[in-house]
Amino acid sequence: MSLVVFDRVTLDLAGRTILSQASFAIAPGEFVGLLGPNGAGKTTLMRAILGLVRPREGRILVSGAPAAPGRGGIGYMPQLRAQPDPRSTGWDLVSGAVDGHRWGLPRRTARAREEVAWALDMVDATAIARRPLGELSGGERQRLLLSQALIGRPKLLLLDEPLISLDPAHQRGTVDLASRLRDELGIAVLFSAHELNPLLTAIDRVLYVGAGRAVLGAVDDVITGPVLSKLYGAPIEVVRAGRRIFVVAADVQPPSTACDGPHQEPARARL
């Protein structure tokens, strides 16, 4: 049985159609990269899986049941997050999820403490968690947020743009960590990103959204000129150079330096 199913789903947001009659399925234990132009609806799609956005048409199933707010089995790392007190520790941040609706155990019980300790250990953040948040780097905070999403031991991790504001080394570390969690815990990962290249070593398939459409498949099947041209609504070319993939507007020459998204003058639009 598929873990997540979109069956002819139409999603609207603020009077705009984000997805129209989209159908795809994500398997248990699968690592899927979620990509698309800015404003294409990647976050809305994740919120729909959480049951926070209801489809106008069609149905969304998670583990065979309709998506609904507060359902267990899903860990979520949102793109926009409340800023915690910098004086609080990493342990405080992660244990805060234990009081949430997804699990509901008081943070001071022995079972709750064991759950927090397990989640921190899974991302190698036990030592980090002892320090105040104000002393941590961006990569260290991302590690704690990922640990927080593991509370309740989900079968699906939704990671919304976790690479934003990270340098390339921390981006690689975050992708590698998510991949390791998938392998060790047997969970599915839906990983939203602006750029494809950091995900290439980890993903099984790519889910690309744009212009109200969604296409799920192998990278070589989805990241093609014809497919992306439909999703962008403009001519797109795909250029492969070594282990990297460049997506460029068809009327712009590929750059001589590495980049990861469609090039437009004067600025670039990323994957």
Side-chain angles (χ1 to χ4, degrees):
M1 180 177 68
S2 296
L3 182 62
V4 177
V5 175
F6 274 53
D7 181 16
R8 293 167 292 181
V9 169
T10 297
L11 292 176
D12 294 336
L13 182 66
R16 183 168 66 96
T17 298
I18 300 297
L19 284 181
S20 178
Q21 295 290 304
S23 295
F24 58 85
I26 297 173
E30 187 172 28
F31 195 128
V32 175
L34 175 58
L35 298 157
N38 290 333
K42 299 186 290 293
T43 296
T44 301
L45 187 151
M46 287 190 171
R47 289 174 55 82
I49 294 174
L50 291 165
L52 301 176
V53 177
R54 298 186 62 181
R56 174 161 56 86
E57 297 177 355
R59 59 179 184 159
I60 302 171
L61 302 178
V62 181
S63 297
R71 284 200 55 188
I74 304 176
Y76 180 45
M77 183 174 165
Q79 179 179 349
L80 298 177
R81 312 173 187 100
Q83 294 298 318
D85 186 338
R87 297 169 296 181
S88 61
T89 66
W91 179 280
D92 295 330
L93 178 69
V94 176
S95 63
V98 178
D99 292 327
H101 63 271
R102 288 189 289 114
W103 197 39
L105 292 177
R107 73 169 70 180
R108 293 184 177 87
T109 67
R111 186 179 174 190
R113 290 195 298 271
E114 290 174 1
E115 184 76 2
V116 173
W118 169 83
L120 289 168
D121 183 62
M122 288 305 304
V123 301
D124 300 323
T126 301
I128 295 172
R130 301 189 186 103
R131 296 160 53 194
L133 295 174
E135 298 179 2
L136 302 181
S137 68
E140 289 170 332
R141 288 195 181 198
Q142 289 292 68
R143 193 172 289 266
L144 290 171
L145 290 167
L146 188 51
S147 174
Q148 188 183 58
L150 292 176
I151 295 294
R153 311 200 181 201
K155 296 298 182 183
L156 170 65
L157 269 181
L158 304 178
L159 307 180
D160 193 357
E161 302 283 7
L163 304 185
I164 286 181
S165 301
L166 296 183
D167 60 37
H170 282 112
Q171 287 186 358
R172 288 193 297 272
T174 299
V175 173
D176 290 346
L177 178 56
S179 181
R180 177 171 65 80
L181 291 173
R182 186 277 298 269
D183 293 340
E184 293 184 3
L185 301 178
I187 59 179
V189 177
L190 183 60
F191 194 119
S192 172
H194 276 307
E195 302 181 5
L196 173 63
N197 287 308
L199 304 181
L200 283 176
T201 60
I203 58 176
D204 299 306
R205 293 193 293 170
V206 58
L207 174 59
Y208 211 108
V209 295
R213 302 180 179 91
V215 180
L216 176 63
V219 170
D220 288 344
D221 294 331
V222 174
I223 309 302
T224 69
V227 171
L228 296 187
S229 293
K230 289 182 179 179
L231 293 174
Y232 273 93
I236 296 293
E237 292 183 358
V238 175
V239 179
R240 285 168 168 79
R243 297 181 179 180
R244 298 178 67 81
I245 297 175
F246 304 90
V247 178
V248 298
D251 57 349
V252 176
Q253 291 295 321
S256 58
T257 57
C259 68
D260 299 306
H263 267 61
Q264 298 174 345
E265 297 295 333
R268 75 177 184 178
R270 288 179 167 181
L271 272 171

